Amino acid sequence: MSTEITEISDELIAAGRRAHELDREHVFHSWQAQGPFNPMTILKTEGSFVWDGQGRKLIDLSSQLVNTNIGHQHPKVIAAIQEQAGKIATIAPQHVNDARSEAARLIAEHTPGDLNKIFFTNGGADAVEHAVRMARLHTGRHKVLSAYRSYHGGTQLAVNITGDPRRFASDSGSEGIVHFFPAYPYRSYFGASTEEEETARALAHLEDLIVLEGAQNIAALILESIPGTAGIYLPPPGYLAGVRELTRKYGIVYIADEVMAGFGRSGEWFAVNHWGVTPDLLTFAKGVNSGYVPLGGVAISPEIFETFRERAYPGGLTYSGHPLACAAAAATIKAMEDEELVQNAKRLGAEIIGPRLEKFKADHPSVGDVRGAGVFWAIELVTNRETREPLAAYGGSSPQMNEVIAAAKQAGLLPFANFNRLHVVPAMNIPDAVLIEALDKLEQALIVADGFVK
Ligand code: PLP
């Protein structure tokens, strides 16, 4: 086995064991049946590495929930949080605070177009909730369009907007959400055989849906610029520009959800930049401060800002623009700038990840599709390349997929997996040699997947 059992003391391992016992005793975990769940203990994190409860050093190819965009324990961000904690650890949102003002300035500097006003939330789901509230108040309309095969958060409205099975338990059809089929070339809902066809047909479907639902009732359309957990399927050329055009034509607020795709992940500051599109509202979280302190927000266009110039915005949070979170955001963004991490993410995608994934596709019959940009990539595993039958059915896992994931962990990786996909989503500053080693390890899991090809 290639994993190392070093650098972790017996005391730390014993403390981890105690933490695990207490966790099973008292902690209620997200998205899990609590009984059988056996969470992994993490004893230490650094850069692109984590150490598990046995002291094994693993390469973090997941960036946790795709949020540690600049890796773990970045010294400049840790120092900024410590310094801010020594100055003002917390302050109510109605007061001016230098950390919040600076974070807002830096975010506005990088958001596309004229999205220059920033409303801070605690994370991504509440950013989505507030963006929709702004859109509803701005337009006086209620319905929201959202794509199937998407994820927008776990709170009541955000999970209803979500287009994956996590919605089902909370969906009573009462939140005013209408789902549409996204452009997804590998598994086209439109029988398209080229990207051009996919774009044209997906946009025609969307326009039909707008007309049939009644544009006068539709407040917003929300779309992940590159859908993340749902499969990192890049919109084909012209699709996002077409969505922008349709939303303008029908007076619908276009919300780009960049919670996962934003802040450098795709090799651009924001994923919409790949296609030169500016939405009316943009939601962010995760990478904005590498997730070191919970933070999310909405970047707001001048037109929507005008709606609330004289009219009070009916919403807020005790921790909106929390100084520790904002100090972490300012330090993260400055680190991204100073260390040229967005450019580095682009290079890693173009020079290392992309070519290696293409080679995986050439060498491994279980690899149906590979796609991505920057440090944001997916591998779709199939049992048959012709039929594209997934290694785990949509909405679940499978014993085969579990074996593949176990093989990746056994090889020394902390992988990110969803349904029949493995995602390659490392930090933007993962050293080249570590990334290459991680991809070598990942190939061992693909050999296991090949065993299931029919
Ligand atoms: N939107 C997208 C695109 C996401 O990927 C996520 C989380 O994964 C969310 C919203 C919700 O963010 P949070 O978990 O911070 O509430």
Side-chain angles (χ1 to χ4, degrees):
M1 192 150 78
S2 54
T3 44
E4 301 163 35
I5 305 189
T6 52
E7 305 168 58
I8 298 290
S9 66
D10 291 345
E11 290 73 26
L12 198 54
I13 289 177
R17 226 174 272 129
R18 175 74 180 135
H20 195 278
E21 281 165 21
L22 290 174
D23 180 290
R24 299 324 297 129
E25 197 89 356
H26 298 295
V27 178
F28 194 98
H29 281 267
S30 322
W31 305 116
Q32 300 293 333
Q34 305 298 310
F37 187 50
N38 182 21
M40 176 188 273
T41 301
I42 299 294
L43 299 176
K44 174 179 164 174
T45 63
E46 192 181 297
S48 281
F49 297 100
V50 301
W51 284 256
D52 73 7
Q54 285 83 50
R56 292 195 326 149
K57 185 178 182 183
L58 305 169
I59 301 174
D60 187 354
L61 209 49
S62 67
S63 298
Q64 300 304 293
L65 292 179
V66 200
N67 59 265
T68 51
N69 284 16
I70 62 166
H72 294 275
Q73 300 295 111
H74 192 296
K76 290 177 191 161
V77 183
I78 298 299
I81 296 167
Q82 287 170 336
E83 192 190 327
Q84 185 62 44
K87 271 187 345 194
I88 295 181
T90 192
I91 200 76
Q94 67 269 29
H95 304 302
V96 172
N97 170 260
D98 60 352
R100 187 188 305 128
S101 300
E102 178 66 354
R105 179 187 76 78
L106 285 164
I107 293 166
E109 210 169 275
H110 289 291
T111 45
D114 46 9
L115 304 179
N116 289 329
K117 302 281 200 240
I118 310 299
F119 178 71
F120 286 109
T121 63
N122 301 332
D126 44 349
V128 165
E129 301 249 349
H130 282 282
V132 168
R133 188 177 301 177
M134 288 173 192
R136 283 176 167 165
L137 291 163
H138 178 71
T139 58
R141 306 173 180 177
H142 188 70
K143 283 187 188 176
V144 176
L145 304 187
S146 169
Y148 288 113
R149 290 187 182 265
S150 66
Y151 183 70
H152 294 287
T155 53
Q156 182 61 18
L157 177 60
V159 86
N160 269 271
I161 293 169
T162 286
D164 89 6
R166 279 176 281 185
R167 178 181 83 253
F168 298 157
S170 307
D171 184 358
S172 58
S174 59
E175 299 287 345
I177 314 301
V178 178
H179 287 93
F180 59 92
F181 293 109
Y184 176 21
Y186 183 62
R187 297 183 188 279
S188 172
Y189 288 108
F190 311 104
S193 49
T194 65
E195 290 205 317
E196 294 69 30
E197 256 177 25
E198 181 72 358
T199 295
R201 294 179 188 184
L203 289 172
H205 154 72
L206 183 57
E207 182 155 22
D208 281 346
L209 186 122
I210 290 170
V211 171
L212 292 168
E213 286 293 332
Q216 69 278 12
N217 299 321
I218 302 171
L221 179 148
I222 182 164
L223 188 61
E224 289 175 81
S225 309
I226 298 176
T229 311
I232 316 186
Y233 55 95
L234 271 65
Y239 182 66
L240 289 192
V243 168
R244 174 70 282 189
E245 223 173 280
L246 285 176
T247 49
R248 277 223 178 87
K249 179 172 171 186
Y250 292 102
I252 296 166
V253 171
Y254 174 14
I255 305 170
D257 186 344
E258 295 257 356
V259 166
M260 190 178 280
F263 285 99
R265 174 120 321 256
S266 74
E268 293 281 347
W269 277 94
F270 292 93
V272 280
N273 299 359
H274 288 284
W275 299 280
V277 165
T278 302
D280 300 304
L281 296 170
L282 182 150
T283 54
F284 63 85
K286 295 188 188 267
V288 62
N289 64 6
S290 231
Y292 288 16
V293 185
L295 183 69
V298 186
I300 304 164
S301 70
E303 294 74 26
I304 295 179
F305 176 78
E306 278 311 312
T307 293
F308 303 105
R309 185 181 286 282
E310 304 300 334
R311 169 184 181 182
Y313 175 64
L317 309 95
T318 298
Y319 305 127
S320 176
H322 193 284
L324 293 185
C326 286
T332 297
I333 294 167
K334 281 185 201 137
M336 286 182 182
E337 290 173 351
D338 296 346
E339 298 166 27
E340 301 189 342
L341 296 183
V342 182
Q343 297 90 317
N344 195 52
K346 185 176 234 155
R347 182 187 65 81
L348 292 176
E351 294 179 8
I352 298 180
I353 307 176
R356 187 66 188 275
L357 265 53
E358 284 299 336
K359 183 146 179 10
F360 286 166
K361 193 173 156 190
D363 294 346
H364 295 278
S366 60
V367 175
D369 192 31
V370 297
R371 55 194 180 237
V375 286
F376 202 31
W377 291 79
I379 301 174
E380 276 214 34
L381 297 175
V382 294
T383 56
N384 183 315
R385 270 197 185 157
E386 297 303 312
T387 62
R388 303 186 177 182
E389 187 183 334
L391 193 56
Y394 178 74
S397 193
S398 67
Q400 294 88 338
M401 198 62 205
N402 289 339
E403 276 191 46
V404 172
I405 296 164
K409 287 182 183 161
Q410 181 68 15
L413 291 181
L414 187 59
F416 185 105
N418 183 254
F419 308 159
N420 68 318
R421 284 172 274 105
L422 291 171
H423 289 188
V424 178
V425 283
M428 295 152 71
N429 54 0
I430 187 170
D432 290 12
V434 177
L435 178 57
I436 291 165
E437 187 189 340
L439 293 168
D440 289 343
K441 290 175 188 297
L442 195 64
E443 189 158 17
Q444 296 177 36
L446 299 181
I447 292 167
V448 172
D450 288 345
F452 302 118
V453 170
K454 295 181 224 162

